[in-house]
Amino acid sequence: MLAFLLRRVIQATAVLAVVGLIAFSMFRFAGDPVNQIVGPDTPASERAEIRKSLGLDDPVLLQFARYAGDVVQGRLGISYQFRQPVSQLLAERMPATLELAFCATVFALVVGVLMGVFCALRRDSWLAGLFQAVSLIGISLPTFLIGILLIYLFSVTLGWLPSYGRGDTVRLGWWTTGFLTWSGLKALILPSITLGLFQMTLIMRLVRAEMLEVLRTDYIRFARARGLSTRAVHLRHALKNTLVPVITIAGLQLGSVIAFSIITETVFQWPGMGLLFVQAVQNVDIPIMSAYLLLVALIFVTINLVVDILYTVVDPRLRLSSATA
């Protein structure tokens, strides 16, 4: 098990190194950073002094080594637009994005698994057909259109839920949360559904397909022949073996939810890292863009590592294969 974890950590470090190289290249090929710091009328002598102070005249390898050292120590540069450390800006926006991603993931997992199990066990019922139709809609419609439709229905027409913003928040140390206020909880509903709908439909269809396949296996027939109750067969045996691919999809989708919350945060003006990234693209704020790229890569490799560990917990066969490898 220790060797398995060590291999995964080495692979994750290699991925982060490659992503760091790509992020560093953005500084060199996405435009001159000096043009984003000074005005168009700045004299050439002042521009040369700024380039020297930033180390832009140094060799490329030296610049990359300095950049990698700063990243390891948590120094991600200074934002051209906000004139603040990028790490501070991301730390201020991170609670909003993580809370939105958490709610969207919980919604997708709970609703997706329940609907998938129901559609597998009651596949000929009219409700299962309705769930299948909803899943097709969730996969087919783009995220921004779903968000706009929800805003029009629940905010403009019915006036039940807010259409933008995060609502009132409570500060707990450096963390800000909307879970402790009524307006914060209401503000979470529409963007969470918008962000989690695609993942929910994907999980639902995966659970349904895997559950139907598991129910046809020999050990399910043997469990029924032993006289186990239908609930025990479905939940203890069939559902447990269905969860292995679901863990993979759910883990990867959690990273996707955080990485691609950009559209949802833009539609609902949610003050998270995704909206900050959109503003950085509009203003060619390269430090924020590269830091966001690194952060997303770190989230993905961490989630993949956790998913690999969960594999060995859910399926003992993988634990044995990793021990003999």
Side-chain angles (χ1 to χ4, degrees), residues 121-138:
L121 300 180
R122 302 286 187 271
R123 57 182 180 272
D124 295 328
S125 65
W126 66 270
L127 189 56
L130 178 62
F131 288 161
Q132 292 275 51
V134 171
S135 69
L136 288 176
I137 295 175

Side-chain angles (χ1 to χ4, degrees), residues 253-289:
Q253 288 303 313
L254 176 59
S256 301
V257 164
I258 297 175
F260 303 114
S261 62
I262 299 173
I263 299 176
T264 302
E265 292 188 6
T266 303
V267 170
F268 291 93
Q269 287 299 290
W270 188 264
M273 295 187 297
L275 184 60
L276 179 66
F277 178 78
V278 171
Q279 295 170 348
V281 172
Q282 293 172 346
N283 295 280
V284 199
D285 200 335
I286 300 175
I288 292 181
M289 295 164 60

Side-chain angles (χ1 to χ4, degrees), residues 127-191:
L127 189 56
L130 178 62
F131 288 161
Q132 292 275 51
V134 171
S135 69
L136 288 176
I137 295 175
I139 291 178
S140 303
L141 293 181
T143 301
F144 73 89
L145 180 57
I146 294 174
I148 293 174
L149 291 176
L150 291 177
I151 289 174
Y152 177 77
L153 177 60
F154 293 101
S155 299
V156 178
T157 304
L158 300 176
W160 291 351
L161 299 170
S163 60
Y164 67 92
R166 197 182 175 195
D168 297 329
T169 59
V170 176
R171 180 170 293 275
L172 302 174
W174 68 274
W175 189 274
T176 57
T177 178
F179 288 150
L180 302 179
T181 63
W182 177 241
S183 62
L185 289 174
K186 290 175 63 177
L188 271 167
I189 295 175
L190 291 185

Side-chain angles (χ1 to χ4, degrees), residues 38-191:
V38 301
D41 299 331
T42 304
S45 59
E46 186 174 344
R47 288 174 177 267
E49 184 177 349
I50 293 175
R51 291 185 63 86
K52 185 177 181 180
S53 65
L54 293 176
L56 298 177
D57 294 333
D58 296 333
V60 177
L61 292 179
L62 179 59
Q63 292 185 44
F64 179 71
R66 183 168 54 242
Y67 173 78
D70 290 341
V71 169
V72 170
Q73 299 177 42
R75 297 196 299 264
L76 303 175
I78 305 296
S79 168
Y80 301 154
Q81 177 187 2
F82 299 99
R83 299 294 191 270
Q84 296 180 23
V86 175
S87 56
Q88 178 183 340
L89 292 172
L90 291 177
E92 293 174 353
R93 303 293 188 101
M94 187 179 296
T97 297
L98 292 183
E99 284 191 358
L100 177 60
F102 173 77
C103 293
T105 303
V106 170
F107 164 75
L109 279 175
V110 174
V111 179
V113 170
L114 291 177
M115 291 174 61
V117 171
F118 181 85
C119 290
L121 300 180
R122 302 286 187 271
R123 57 182 180 272
D124 295 328
S125 65
W126 66 270
L127 189 56
L130 178 62
F131 288 161
Q132 292 275 51
V134 171
S135 69
L136 288 176
I137 295 175
I139 291 178
S140 303
L141 293 181
T143 301
F144 73 89
L145 180 57
I146 294 174
I148 293 174
L149 291 176
L150 291 177
I151 289 174
Y152 177 77
L153 177 60
F154 293 101
S155 299
V156 178
T157 304
L158 300 176
W160 291 351
L161 299 170
S163 60
Y164 67 92
R166 197 182 175 195
D168 297 329
T169 59
V170 176
R171 180 170 293 275
L172 302 174
W174 68 274
W175 189 274
T176 57
T177 178
F179 288 150
L180 302 179
T181 63
W182 177 241
S183 62
L185 289 174
K186 290 175 63 177
L188 271 167
I189 295 175
L190 291 185

